[in-house]
Amino acid sequence: MENDSIHWVVFLDNNQRCLLFTDDMSIATNALNAVELERFDLDIVLSISSIGLSLVDDIKRKEVAYTSLASSGVVWEHRKVKGKKHRAFTHAQTEIIEKTYQAYQNQIKAISDASAIQSCFDLGKILEVDFATMTCSRPFKRKIRRTFQPGVWFQLKTSPHQKQIHLKINSVQIDNQMIDVMFPVVLARVPPSRSVMAETVAKPFCEVSIAQRMTSPLFTQFKYLAVLIQEFHVKVELPFVFAVLDVLFPAAEMSPDLYSPEKYEHDACIVHETLTTTVKSQSTGGQRDFFDHLHLSPIKMHLSFSLSGMDSGASVPVGGQVIHLFLQSVGVTLTEVQDVVFRLAYMERLNQWMSWHQLMQEMIIHYRGQVIKQLYVLVLGLDVIGNPFGLVVGLTKGVEDLFYEPIQGAIEGPGEFAEGVLLGVTSFMGKTVGGAAGAVSRITGTIGKGVAALTLDEEYQKRRREAMHRKPADGIESLARGGKGIVTGVVDGVTGVFLKPIDGAKEEGVEGFFKGVGKGMVGLVTRPASGVIDFASGSFDAVMRATDATEEVERYRPSRLIDADGVVRPYVKRFAEGAKMLQELEKGRYAKTDLYIAHANITGSKSLLIATNKRIMHVTRNDILGHLKVDWVHTYDELSEPPVLTPKGLHLSVKQEKKRVLGMFGGGDNSKVVHINCQEQAE
C-alpha cells in the first residue's frame, strides 16, 4: 500500500505470466502499453518491381487474360540536406527534371571526356538541379533522388508479444487478351482526374495494415486491421467470362463428378439436418479472435457489362448455361451497361469477438445490402436509355470543377490559378457537351445493334462488332469510318439480294434458296439503316472523345503469340505485335489460314513486310481509316528462288507479279528489293 493505492501482482506458470491488480490508472496504462514499446527482433522487407500472370488456353492456342502488378512511373523526390524524409516534386517539375535527366544521360554516353559533360541545369526561373551531385539549389537547397514505387511492397515486424504486417500493391490490371473485344481492360484503377492539387505519386491501389498482439495461445488480438482499396473499374463481357471458365474448369474435368453419388449423399445429409443444428455448427465453428479496430474502406466501383460478341452457336462451358440463358432471355439491348458507379460504404467493427467465418458472413451481408440499395443505379445506367445517372453525375462533377479548380489554384499562386481555370473549363465542357453527346451515342449505338441483329447475318454482325471495337485515333478517322460504313451498308444490302439466295442454295438447296431470298430482302433495308445509325453513333462518340480530358487505360501488352505446336514459350513483344497486325489485316482474312513468322519495318516509309508460313506481303497503314492495307502479296511458290540478303535490303525474285506499286522498289520486272536497314530484321 503506497499513497492510498493498492497493487497486487500474482505470478503464474513458473513466473512466465503474471496478473496485476491496481486502482491506479497510470500504472495500468503503462503496463498495457509495455508490449507496444518492445524492440522488434525481426524486420523483413520484400519489394518486387512487377509481376505478370498469363492465362493461356493451349488447346485453342490463345491467350485469354493477362494480370499485371506493375510499378509506378519515375518519381523525383527531394529532402533537406540533414533530413531523412523525402517529398515528391509536382507533376510539372517531375516532367521537366526527367526530360533533362535523360538528356544528361545521353551526354554521358556520347562524350568520353567527363569534364566536358554539363551536369548543372537551369530549368526555368524556379528550378536548378545538378545531376552529378544529385542536388537542387533553387528554389531551395535539397538533396534529390530518382526512384519509383514497386509493384508489391511487403513488410513484417515481430517481437515476442506483437506482430505488424504492412502490404502495398501499387497497381493491379487484368487485360482481356482475346480478339474482337469491346473492353480490352477488365479491371484497373480509375486514373486520377487532372487537378491543380493532384499528388505526383499516386496512392497504392490496395493497402493492408495489421497490428496483432500475441498475448494468449487461445486467441489472437488484432489491435488494428485495415484494408484500403482505391477507385477502380470493372468491364466484363460474357465471352471473356466463358473463356476463363473454360480454361479453369474444363468440361472434361467437371462433367464426370458433377452429379456423383457421393455429392448426392452429402447434399441429402444437409437437407435432413435441422435448422438448429446447422446454426449451432456454424456459430461454434472456428477460433474466435478479438478485434480492437477493424476497418474496411469504402469502395467506389465503375461497372460496365456487355453481351456483345457471343455468337448464337458458340459453346457455353459447364456452369455458364444459366447465366447465358438468363441474359439471352432479357435481350441484347437490355444487357448493355457502361460506367455505372457503385458506392459501397465502409465496414467497421470495434472491440468485438468474432471468428473468421463470422467475419466473412458479416462482410457478405454488409456489401450485399449496399449493392441492393443501389440497384436503381444499374437500371438508370442502361445504354438503351443513354445512362442518365452517369450524365447527371458527370454534370455535377463538371460544375464543381469549374469553381473548385480556379480557387485551389489561386491559393497556390497566379500560375496555378491560370492552370486551374483551364482545367475547370475543360472538365466542365467535357462533362456537359461530351456527356450529352455520349448519352446520344449510347442510345443510337444500342439501336444500331438491334437493327444489325435483324439482318439475320452472323458474318455481317461480326464484321460490324470488329469495326465498332476498334477505337478511332481522332475525329477525322471516326467520320471517315462512319462514311465508309454507310457506303458498305448500301452496297452489301443491294448485293445481298442476289448473293444471299445463291449462297443459301449452295448450302441447303431449295430451302436455303428461299431463306436467302428472305435474308436478302431484309438486308436491303436493315443494312443501310444500320450504317446510317452507326454513323450517327460514331459522330456523337467523336464529339465525346474530343471534349473528354480523362485518360483511357490501355492494355499492358499485346496478346501472346502461340505457335502451331501449342507450346507456351517466353513472351516476345515484337512477335506479339506482328501477330496482332496479321489479325487486323483485311479483317482477319489471312489470320484464318496463315501463321505469323516475322515482320520488318521498311526504311523511309510507314510500310511493313510481313512473312507468314505461306506467303510474304507488303502492307501500309492507312492514316485516315487507321487500318492496314495490302499493297502486294506473294506465296512462296511464286518465288523463283529463296530471298537473298543484299546490302540494300531483301531481294525477292518473283515468277509472276500479281500487283505492283511503281516507283517504290528497284530491280527488274520480276524482282523486288525491299529496303530494310536493320540487319537482324532482314535476316
Side-chain angles (χ1 to χ4, degrees):
M1 183 178 244
E2 182 180 335
N3 296 332
D4 297 331
S5 297
I6 301 176
H7 314 291
W8 292 89
V9 180
V10 180
F11 293 94
L12 306 172
D13 300 338
N14 296 326
N15 296 336
Q16 294 297 318
R17 291 186 298 166
C18 63
L19 294 177
L20 172 64
F21 298 91
T22 179
D23 59 355
D24 190 333
M25 182 60 70
S26 61
I27 295 177
T29 302
N30 292 333
L32 190 65
N33 293 333
V35 175
E36 298 179 358
L37 299 177
E38 287 181 336
R39 291 177 60 91
F40 291 104
D41 52 15
L42 178 65
D43 189 351
I44 299 175
V45 176
L46 175 65
S47 179
I48 302 176
S49 175
S50 59
I51 300 175
L53 180 63
S54 180
L55 182 64
V56 176
D57 188 341
D58 53 350
I59 298 175
K60 298 180 180 179
R61 293 194 301 107
K62 66 178 181 180
E63 186 178 44
V64 177
Y66 179 74
T67 303
S68 59
L69 279 65
S71 60
S72 68
V74 174
V75 178
W76 281 94
E77 297 178 335
H78 61 86
R79 66 171 175 85
K80 294 181 179 179
V81 177
K82 295 184 179 180
K84 295 182 178 180
K85 187 175 181 179
H86 287 83
R87 297 182 181 275
F89 284 96
T90 64
H91 274 291
Q93 291 173 337
T94 299
E95 291 178 359
I96 296 174
I97 295 175
E98 177 62 20
K99 184 178 180 180
T100 310
Y101 179 77
Q102 293 299 329
Y104 171 69
Q105 291 295 320
N106 292 333
Q107 282 188 48
I108 295 177
K109 295 177 182 178
I111 302 175
S112 57
D113 185 7
S115 60
I117 298 175
Q118 178 187 358
S119 63
C120 186
F121 295 89
D122 187 354
L123 309 179
K125 298 180 180 179
I126 60 171
L127 199 61
E128 184 176 346
V129 295
D130 189 340
F131 293 119
T133 59
M134 294 300 283
T135 57
C136 173
S137 56
R138 196 171 66 234
F140 36 61
K141 292 185 177 181
R142 294 283 194 276
K143 285 284 187 180
I144 62 175
R145 71 174 182 179
R146 184 177 186 264
T147 182
F148 69 97
Q149 300 298 322
V152 179
W153 184 86
F154 174 81
Q155 184 181 42
L156 172 65
K157 293 182 178 180
T158 61
S159 69
H161 296 94
Q162 65 175 328
K163 181 189 296 183
Q164 291 184 8
I165 298 174
H166 195 185
L167 172 66
K168 294 181 182 180
I169 300 177
N170 180 71
S171 173
V172 177
Q173 181 170 322
I174 301 177
D175 295 338
N176 183 352
Q177 297 292 85
M178 297 193 301
I179 305 166
D180 181 25
V181 296
M182 186 173 185
F183 303 125
V185 179
V186 178
L187 171 68
R189 188 211 328 239
V190 174
S193 57
R194 296 183 59 190
S195 174
V196 179
M197 302 299 292
E199 298 181 6
T200 303
V201 184
K203 294 180 180 178
F205 172 76
C206 179
E207 188 169 359
V208 180
S209 181
I210 302 174
Q212 176 183 344
R213 277 192 177 180
M214 298 176 290
T215 55
S216 172
L218 302 178
F219 68 93
T220 303
Q221 180 184 2
F222 291 93
K223 290 291 294 180
Y224 184 74
L225 194 159
V227 179
L228 173 64
I229 299 177
Q230 299 295 330
E231 182 180 0
F232 63 97
H233 74 239
V234 178
K235 299 181 178 181
V236 183
E237 46 192 314
L238 201 58
F240 173 76
V241 177
F242 288 160
V244 172
L245 291 176
D246 199 21
V247 175
L248 299 181
F249 309 104
E253 297 180 8
M254 290 184 61
S255 300
D257 58 310
L258 190 61
Y259 304 105
S260 61
E262 292 79 8
K263 289 192 175 183
Y264 172 78
E265 292 177 1
H266 177 70
D267 293 342
C269 292
I270 295 177
V271 170
H272 289 95
E273 280 185 358
T274 61
L275 182 61
T276 306
T277 306
T278 305
V279 174
K280 186 176 180 180
S281 64
Q282 291 180 353
S283 61
T284 58
Q287 173 184 306
R288 299 181 69 193
D289 299 322
F290 188 76
F291 294 86
D292 287 293
H293 188 185
L294 169 69
H295 180 87
L296 305 180
S297 71
I299 295 177
K300 186 176 181 182
M301 178 178 67
H302 298 246
L303 176 65
S304 300
F305 181 81
S306 174
L307 191 65
S308 64
M310 193 68 200
D311 297 333
S312 57
S315 60
V316 180
V318 177
Q321 294 94 335
V322 177
I323 302 174
H324 188 238
L325 179 62
F326 169 74
L327 294 174
Q328 288 286 0
S329 62
V330 172
V332 67
T333 57
L334 297 181
T335 51
E336 299 291 326
V337 176
Q338 290 196 39
D339 202 25
V340 172
V341 182
F342 282 93
R343 291 178 173 87
L344 310 182
Y346 70 91
M347 175 181 169
E348 190 173 54
R349 298 292 184 269
L350 301 175
N351 303 320
Q352 289 192 13
W353 290 89
M354 285 188 297
S355 66
W356 286 99
H357 177 74
Q358 289 175 316
L359 176 59
M360 293 300 297
Q361 291 297 321
E362 290 200 19
M363 288 174 58
I364 292 172
I365 293 172
H366 171 78
Y367 288 114
R368 182 173 58 193
Q370 292 289 319
V371 172
I372 292 174
K373 288 179 182 177
Q374 298 190 43
L375 280 180
Y376 70 93
V377 176
L378 195 62
V379 177
L380 294 176
L382 292 172
D383 278 4
V384 71
I385 56 176
N387 191 0
F389 182 81
L391 177 60
V392 173
V393 172
L395 290 174
T396 305
K397 177 65 176 173
V399 174
E400 176 186 335
D401 290 344
L402 182 62
F403 294 96
Y404 180 77
E405 292 295 338
I407 294 174
Q408 290 296 322
I411 296 174
E412 296 296 317
E416 287 77 6
F417 172 74
E419 183 183 358
V421 171
L422 177 61
L423 292 175
V425 173
T426 303
S427 175
F428 177 74
M429 293 298 294
K431 302 298 183 183
T432 53
V433 178
V440 178
S441 174
R442 291 188 180 97
I443 295 174
T444 53
T446 306
I447 296 173
K449 188 177 300 179
V451 173
L454 294 177
T455 61
L456 306 176
D457 188 344
E458 292 286 347
E459 186 64 28
Y460 171 74
Q461 294 178 43
K462 183 179 180 180
R463 293 203 310 268
R464 178 187 175 276
R465 282 198 307 269
E466 292 174 353
M468 297 296 288
H469 293 171
R470 288 196 300 268
K471 301 299 182 184
D474 49 34
I476 297 176
E477 183 179 336
S478 179
L479 294 175
R481 286 188 185 182
K484 180 184 176 183
I486 294 177
V487 175
T488 304
V490 174
V491 173
D492 288 348
V494 174
T495 56
V497 175
F498 304 98
L499 297 179
K500 289 297 179 183
I502 298 174
D503 294 339
K506 290 180 180 178
E507 294 177 1
E508 302 180 29
V510 178
E511 183 181 354
F513 174 80
F514 287 106
K515 285 184 179 179
V517 171
K519 289 183 179 180
M521 297 305 296
V522 172
L524 182 62
V525 179
T526 55
R527 292 196 182 195
S530 177
V532 173
I533 295 172
D534 288 343
F535 175 75
S537 176
S539 301
F540 285 111
D541 184 69
V543 174
M544 180 189 70
R545 291 177 178 277
T547 56
D548 190 5
T550 57
E551 181 183 352
E552 190 168 350
V553 181
E554 298 180 349
R555 278 177 176 163
Y556 193 78
R557 62 165 177 76
S559 181
R560 177 190 300 271
L561 171 65
I562 302 178
D563 292 328
D565 55 8
V567 177
V568 181
R569 294 179 173 84
Y571 182 82
V572 180
K573 186 177 181 180
R574 178 172 179 79
F575 292 165
E577 292 173 343
K580 180 184 176 185
M581 287 188 288
L582 184 63
Q583 289 286 350
E584 296 175 353
L585 195 61
E586 294 196 1
K587 302 176 182 178
R589 170 189 168 189
Y590 296 105
K592 296 176 182 178
T593 58
D594 295 21
L595 295 176
Y596 167 84
I597 300 298
H599 76 279
N601 299 315
I602 296 177
T603 307
S605 69
K606 298 180 180 179
S607 303
L608 299 164
L609 193 68
I610 300 178
T612 70
N613 61 334
K614 294 183 179 180
R615 69 196 85 233
I616 187 166
M617 52 189 122
H618 178 277
V619 300
T620 306
R621 183 173 295 279
N622 190 312
D623 292 334
I624 298 178
L625 297 177
H627 61 72
L628 294 171
K629 175 189 173 184
V630 178
D631 293 325
W632 54 259
V633 57
H634 295 292
T635 62
Y636 295 126
D637 294 335
E638 296 172 4
L639 300 181
S640 58
E641 60 181 30
V644 179
L645 191 61
T646 66
K648 293 184 178 180
L650 202 62
H651 182 272
L652 304 176
S653 298
V654 185
K655 296 178 183 176
Q656 183 180 0
E657 290 193 9
K658 285 188 174 181
K659 187 176 181 180
R660 289 185 57 201
V661 181
L662 299 178
M664 291 184 62
F665 307 97
D669 294 338
N670 294 327
S671 65
K672 293 182 173 70
V673 177
V674 185
H675 301 284
I676 302 174
N677 278 346
C678 181
Q679 187 77 6
E680 183 181 354
Q681 292 182 12
E683 291 175 356

